Amino acid sequence: MTVCYARRYAPLVTMPASSPTAPAAPPPAAPPALADATASDAALRRFLHGLPGVDAVGLEARAAQLGTRSIKTTAKAYAIDLAISMIDLTTLEGSDTPGKVRALCAKGVNPDPTDRTVPKVAAICVYPDMVATARQALDACGGQDVKVASVATAFPSGRAELGVKLADTRDAVAAGADEIDMVIDRGAFLSGRYMKVFEEIRAVKQACARAGGGDAHLKVIFENGELSTYDNIRRASWLAMLAGADVIKTSTGKVAVNATPANTLLMLEAVRDFRAATGTQIGVKPAGGIRTAKDSIKYLVMVNEVLGDDWLHPDWFRFGASSLLNDLLMQRQKLTTGRYSGPDYVTVD
Amino acid sequence: MSEQSGNPGGAARTRLGVAKTYKLFVGGKFPRSESGRVYEVTDTRGNWLANAPLGSRKDARDAVVAARKAFGPWSGATAYNRGQILYRIAEMLEGRREQFTAEVAAAEGLSKAKAAARVDAAIDRWVWYAGWSDKITQVAGGANPVAGPYFNLSTPEPTGVVAVLAPQESSLLGLVSVLAPVIVGGNTAVVVASERAPLPALSLAEVLATSDLPGGVVNVLSGRTAEIAAPLAAHSDVNAIDLAGADADLAKELETAAADNLKRVLRPADATSDWSADPGVKRMLAFTETKTVWHPVGV
């Protein structure tokens, strides 16, 4: 079945340089063509609607099939450590206090106090007003290499004027954020105003520039649960990548449907095709609803199968999660001691 | 049924046998073993009775997860409510008296009359323990006199998830005698059924599933006792272990493993333990922790 499926589906998504089925395939894979795609509102719409439709059944079957791989012993140990090092340890609650953020930072730097061989997490993800606190706390406990990510642009709804969103972003960058997680304007996207979304991402990207040179990494959140269809997710992925996103992210974690294996697989295929077309590598971050070590390993299998080694690195793939870390630590304790661990042996956060 | 068509001539018909598939009981559901294994269960003369699931380490792990999940609601239920549910189990068991008599007779090599007496004793034991649910706190707890203006109150609280190795010889009465005292106080249990005679335990799971007992409060595993008990004894999320079904060597090994994570251990009684004797409150109190509260007088 797999073989038949791959044959049927591959021509739709892998975008050959010169495709005989021109109407269904996206424009030829060359940067100039993509530059044309964003020349005007009409051109952008034509490009996004010209992307091949998503085979929903095939996509879900493929994602489910990749979830059945059995990862054991040394491979599992490697996967668990890799997953820990890819976590954006997140707290995005109205009730966040500086104390809670400091506790989270300490945990991110030293996830298991009983075992110093556990890697650090990739980043701590907080609201903009907590960025300075997080940076300070990380530096204080030896986490200089742990990044601080900040949500911005009126997270999670994104319902604010552009000026407000840009000010939000600049504040976070000025406070020391290394990464900015922005949300797209789903209202504009769903009503077909793609150029507005495009320009907004561009503007936020510019606002990510630091005073002293360099710029903060930009992650663009689509909120897949609100985009309704797989076709929309594919369009949003291309739109964000064309606009200059460094990472595309599934969701905010604040709605009912968050990261699913299927919609993450779709985004992985989009970044693969984008690199084939333009040579630019884009990262992916599934967020929300990934709670168990088993789930996270399924995502890593998907990354390995769709994108390969190039993306199996915290710079290119991240998990937005909070409770996932505890489950990974319990699994790690099981592997090192041979005994099943329990929630009494990890912190409550 | 005798008028059923498709039976020309009405001669004596032979029905196809409907063999029962015995399964594990985990989280209120009846799964097969995760390992897919089964083993043959025989009566005392060596005649095949049924295939029982041969549980694995991962079944034990899943059972602990289910038991941990059920602990909050079960320990938080009122003692009165727990007593009612335990009594309900006795009622359901009474309705299946014939079935259990046959299973116990086959499993333990007893005559029908003797097996029936053991089933009756098991039912009576459920009733006896059901009555204890709202009394054990009064008997084991109390107000302590202290030198100061304080109320000082001690109450026995459930310990948590308890692994229970059911007695090997007494397949139903022994099982009930170790299981009921664990859950009556608000603990949840992972039971490893008798290795040689697991069928009454697996059938008891069907009774538990239809007695308003919340899923996960009791989880029943069958298989090699030593294989399943080892990960349970070493499991950090199991709070206590009852070694009733372990022989001396295994008990020593499990006690060592349990000491590693400071588990509460109930050592096995001597081999000739008589399960029909009055059990007393010892087993109930073995799986409680005494909580003492100081409270100022007059506030």
Side-chain angles (χ1 to χ4, degrees), chain B residues 15 36 43 50 55 88 90 106 110 155 178 181 184 188 204 217 228 230 238 240 255 272 286:
Chain B
R15 267 188 78 223
D43 63 14
R88 177 86 176 156
L110 300 173
T155 44
V178 295
V184 68
T188 54
L204 180 67
V217 172
I228 305 174
V238 173
E255 209 174 327
T272 58

mmCIF file of all heavy atoms in Angstrom, chain B residues 15 36 43 50 55 88 90 106 110 155 178 181 184 188 204 217 228 230 238 240 255 272 286:
data_model
loop_
_atom_site.group_PDB
_atom_site.id
_atom_site.type_symbol
_atom_site.label_atom_id
_atom_site.label_comp_id
_atom_site.label_asym_id
_atom_site.label_seq_id
_atom_site.Cartn_x
_atom_site.Cartn_y
_atom_site.Cartn_z
ATOM 1 N N ARG B 15 -24.350 -28.997 20.147
ATOM 2 C CA ARG B 15 -24.019 -27.574 20.022
ATOM 3 C C ARG B 15 -22.516 -27.437 19.914
ATOM 4 O O ARG B 15 -21.763 -28.186 20.526
ATOM 5 C CB ARG B 15 -24.487 -26.812 21.262
ATOM 6 C CG ARG B 15 -25.848 -26.233 21.138
ATOM 7 C CD ARG B 15 -26.111 -25.338 22.327
ATOM 8 N NE ARG B 15 -25.450 -24.056 22.195
ATOM 9 C CZ ARG B 15 -24.803 -23.435 23.166
ATOM 10 N NH1 ARG B 15 -24.686 -24.010 24.341
ATOM 11 N NH2 ARG B 15 -24.263 -22.259 22.969
ATOM 12 N N GLY B 36 0.721 -10.401 23.768
ATOM 13 C CA GLY B 36 0.036 -11.353 22.901
ATOM 14 C C GLY B 36 0.182 -12.801 23.351
ATOM 15 O O GLY B 36 -0.258 -13.718 22.657
ATOM 16 N N ASP B 43 -6.644 -28.033 35.473
ATOM 17 C CA ASP B 43 -7.141 -28.311 36.821
ATOM 18 C C ASP B 43 -6.058 -29.074 37.587
ATOM 19 O O ASP B 43 -4.953 -29.288 37.073
ATOM 20 C CB ASP B 43 -8.483 -29.062 36.757
ATOM 21 C CG ASP B 43 -8.344 -30.429 36.103
ATOM 22 O OD1 ASP B 43 -7.197 -30.904 35.939
ATOM 23 O OD2 ASP B 43 -9.370 -31.024 35.735
ATOM 24 N N ALA B 50 -8.512 -23.774 30.241
ATOM 25 C CA ALA B 50 -8.617 -22.599 29.365
ATOM 26 C C ALA B 50 -7.226 -22.032 29.154
ATOM 27 O O ALA B 50 -6.276 -22.425 29.836
ATOM 28 C CB ALA B 50 -9.509 -21.537 30.007
ATOM 29 N N GLY B 55 0.679 -12.290 31.230
ATOM 30 C CA GLY B 55 0.957 -10.856 31.313
ATOM 31 C C GLY B 55 2.438 -10.551 31.304
ATOM 32 O O GLY B 55 3.263 -11.381 31.679
ATOM 33 N N ARG B 88 -22.102 -4.140 46.874
ATOM 34 C CA ARG B 88 -22.636 -4.442 45.549
ATOM 35 C C ARG B 88 -21.826 -5.575 44.893
ATOM 36 O O ARG B 88 -22.381 -6.423 44.201
ATOM 37 C CB ARG B 88 -22.571 -3.172 44.698
ATOM 38 C CG ARG B 88 -23.011 -3.331 43.275
ATOM 39 C CD ARG B 88 -24.484 -3.178 43.131
ATOM 40 N NE ARG B 88 -24.901 -3.252 41.736
ATOM 41 C CZ ARG B 88 -26.122 -3.603 41.359
ATOM 42 N NH1 ARG B 88 -27.028 -3.898 42.261
ATOM 43 N NH2 ARG B 88 -26.454 -3.647 40.095
ATOM 44 N N ALA B 90 -20.419 -8.000 46.437
ATOM 45 C CA ALA B 90 -20.896 -9.237 47.058
ATOM 46 C C ALA B 90 -22.220 -9.677 46.432
ATOM 47 O O ALA B 90 -22.422 -10.866 46.155
ATOM 48 C CB ALA B 90 -21.057 -9.035 48.561
ATOM 49 N N ALA B 106 -12.817 -26.720 39.983
ATOM 50 C CA ALA B 106 -11.826 -27.165 39.006
ATOM 51 C C ALA B 106 -10.428 -26.687 39.378
ATOM 52 O O ALA B 106 -9.446 -27.421 39.252
ATOM 53 C CB ALA B 106 -12.209 -26.651 37.616
ATOM 54 N N LEU B 110 -11.585 -29.502 44.345
ATOM 55 C CA LEU B 110 -12.502 -29.733 45.459
ATOM 56 C C LEU B 110 -13.805 -30.351 44.958
ATOM 57 O O LEU B 110 -14.129 -30.256 43.780
ATOM 58 C CB LEU B 110 -12.839 -28.398 46.141
ATOM 59 C CG LEU B 110 -11.678 -27.613 46.742
ATOM 60 C CD1 LEU B 110 -12.172 -26.266 47.211
ATOM 61 C CD2 LEU B 110 -11.054 -28.389 47.884
ATOM 62 N N THR B 155 -5.943 10.167 61.791
ATOM 63 C CA THR B 155 -6.834 9.363 60.947
ATOM 64 C C THR B 155 -5.996 8.510 60.009
ATOM 65 O O THR B 155 -4.969 8.969 59.498
ATOM 66 C CB THR B 155 -7.746 10.248 60.078
ATOM 67 O OG1 THR B 155 -6.958 11.303 59.536
ATOM 68 C CG2 THR B 155 -8.899 10.814 60.857
ATOM 69 N N VAL B 178 -7.225 -10.795 50.359
ATOM 70 C CA VAL B 178 -6.131 -9.831 50.251
ATOM 71 C C VAL B 178 -6.546 -8.580 49.468
ATOM 72 O O VAL B 178 -5.991 -7.508 49.675
ATOM 73 C CB VAL B 178 -4.858 -10.450 49.599
ATOM 74 C CG1 VAL B 178 -4.290 -11.527 50.493
ATOM 75 C CG2 VAL B 178 -5.148 -10.985 48.217
ATOM 76 N N PRO B 181 -9.384 -5.848 51.679
ATOM 77 C CA PRO B 181 -8.828 -4.902 52.663
ATOM 78 C C PRO B 181 -8.006 -3.783 52.030
ATOM 79 O O PRO B 181 -7.865 -2.722 52.623
ATOM 80 C CB PRO B 181 -7.955 -5.792 53.555
ATOM 81 C CG PRO B 181 -7.708 -7.019 52.779
ATOM 82 C CD PRO B 181 -8.911 -7.218 51.929
ATOM 83 N N VAL B 184 -10.845 -1.257 50.406
ATOM 84 C CA VAL B 184 -11.864 -0.698 51.293
ATOM 85 C C VAL B 184 -11.389 0.613 51.915
ATOM 86 O O VAL B 184 -12.169 1.529 52.139
ATOM 87 C CB VAL B 184 -12.287 -1.717 52.379
ATOM 88 C CG1 VAL B 184 -11.161 -1.974 53.360
ATOM 89 C CG2 VAL B 184 -13.505 -1.234 53.124
ATOM 90 N N THR B 188 -5.946 1.890 45.545
ATOM 91 C CA THR B 188 -6.257 1.170 44.315
ATOM 92 C C THR B 188 -5.251 0.030 44.191
ATOM 93 O O THR B 188 -4.157 0.102 44.752
ATOM 94 C CB THR B 188 -6.192 2.080 43.082
ATOM 95 O OG1 THR B 188 -4.917 2.719 43.047
ATOM 96 C CG2 THR B 188 -7.266 3.149 43.155
ATOM 97 N N LEU B 204 -13.638 -12.939 38.492
ATOM 98 C CA LEU B 204 -13.994 -11.922 39.485
ATOM 99 C C LEU B 204 -13.907 -10.525 38.866
ATOM 100 O O LEU B 204 -14.700 -9.642 39.205
ATOM 101 C CB LEU B 204 -13.065 -12.014 40.703
ATOM 102 C CG LEU B 204 -13.339 -10.988 41.816
ATOM 103 C CD1 LEU B 204 -14.688 -11.275 42.472
ATOM 104 C CD2 LEU B 204 -12.236 -10.993 42.860
ATOM 105 N N VAL B 217 -9.679 0.950 39.687
ATOM 106 C CA VAL B 217 -9.506 0.757 41.139
ATOM 107 C C VAL B 217 -8.913 -0.622 41.390
ATOM 108 O O VAL B 217 -8.024 -0.782 42.221
ATOM 109 C CB VAL B 217 -10.846 0.931 41.879
ATOM 110 C CG1 VAL B 217 -10.705 0.541 43.337
ATOM 111 C CG2 VAL B 217 -11.319 2.370 41.767
ATOM 112 N N ILE B 228 5.853 -10.749 36.617
ATOM 113 C CA ILE B 228 5.065 -9.521 36.731
ATOM 114 C C ILE B 228 5.400 -8.777 38.018
ATOM 115 O O ILE B 228 5.388 -7.550 38.068
ATOM 116 C CB ILE B 228 3.554 -9.840 36.682
ATOM 117 C CG1 ILE B 228 3.231 -10.638 35.421
ATOM 118 C CG2 ILE B 228 2.734 -8.565 36.706
ATOM 119 C CD1 ILE B 228 1.802 -11.108 35.366
ATOM 120 N N ALA B 230 8.241 -8.531 39.661
ATOM 121 C CA ALA B 230 9.534 -7.842 39.733
ATOM 122 C C ALA B 230 9.426 -6.369 39.325
ATOM 123 O O ALA B 230 9.849 -5.491 40.080
ATOM 124 C CB ALA B 230 10.562 -8.574 38.888
ATOM 125 N N VAL B 238 4.467 2.800 42.635
ATOM 126 C CA VAL B 238 3.642 1.883 43.417
ATOM 127 C C VAL B 238 4.008 2.115 44.872
ATOM 128 O O VAL B 238 5.185 2.112 45.218
ATOM 129 C CB VAL B 238 3.907 0.415 43.012
ATOM 130 C CG1 VAL B 238 3.177 -0.541 43.934
ATOM 131 C CG2 VAL B 238 3.496 0.188 41.573
ATOM 132 N N ALA B 240 2.907 0.447 47.745
ATOM 133 C CA ALA B 240 2.996 -0.663 48.689
ATOM 134 C C ALA B 240 2.847 -1.973 47.925
ATOM 135 O O ALA B 240 2.318 -1.998 46.810
ATOM 136 C CB ALA B 240 1.907 -0.554 49.749
ATOM 137 N N GLU B 255 11.319 -7.921 48.212
ATOM 138 C CA GLU B 255 11.455 -7.003 49.337
ATOM 139 C C GLU B 255 12.696 -6.130 49.151
ATOM 140 O O GLU B 255 12.687 -4.934 49.450
ATOM 141 C CB GLU B 255 11.546 -7.801 50.650
ATOM 142 C CG GLU B 255 10.996 -7.032 51.815
ATOM 143 C CD GLU B 255 10.949 -7.860 53.097
ATOM 144 O OE1 GLU B 255 10.734 -9.078 53.012
ATOM 145 O OE2 GLU B 255 11.136 -7.264 54.158
ATOM 146 N N THR B 272 1.118 -22.183 55.575
ATOM 147 C CA THR B 272 -0.124 -22.871 55.921
ATOM 148 C C THR B 272 -1.237 -21.896 56.294
ATOM 149 O O THR B 272 -2.114 -22.221 57.070
ATOM 150 C CB THR B 272 0.118 -23.812 57.114
ATOM 151 O OG1 THR B 272 0.608 -23.010 58.206
ATOM 152 C CG2 THR B 272 1.110 -24.893 56.781
ATOM 153 N N ALA B 286 -2.488 -2.309 57.267
ATOM 154 C CA ALA B 286 -1.156 -2.410 56.669
ATOM 155 C C ALA B 286 -0.993 -1.418 55.520
ATOM 156 O O ALA B 286 0.123 -1.028 55.193
ATOM 157 C CB ALA B 286 -0.926 -3.826 56.168
#
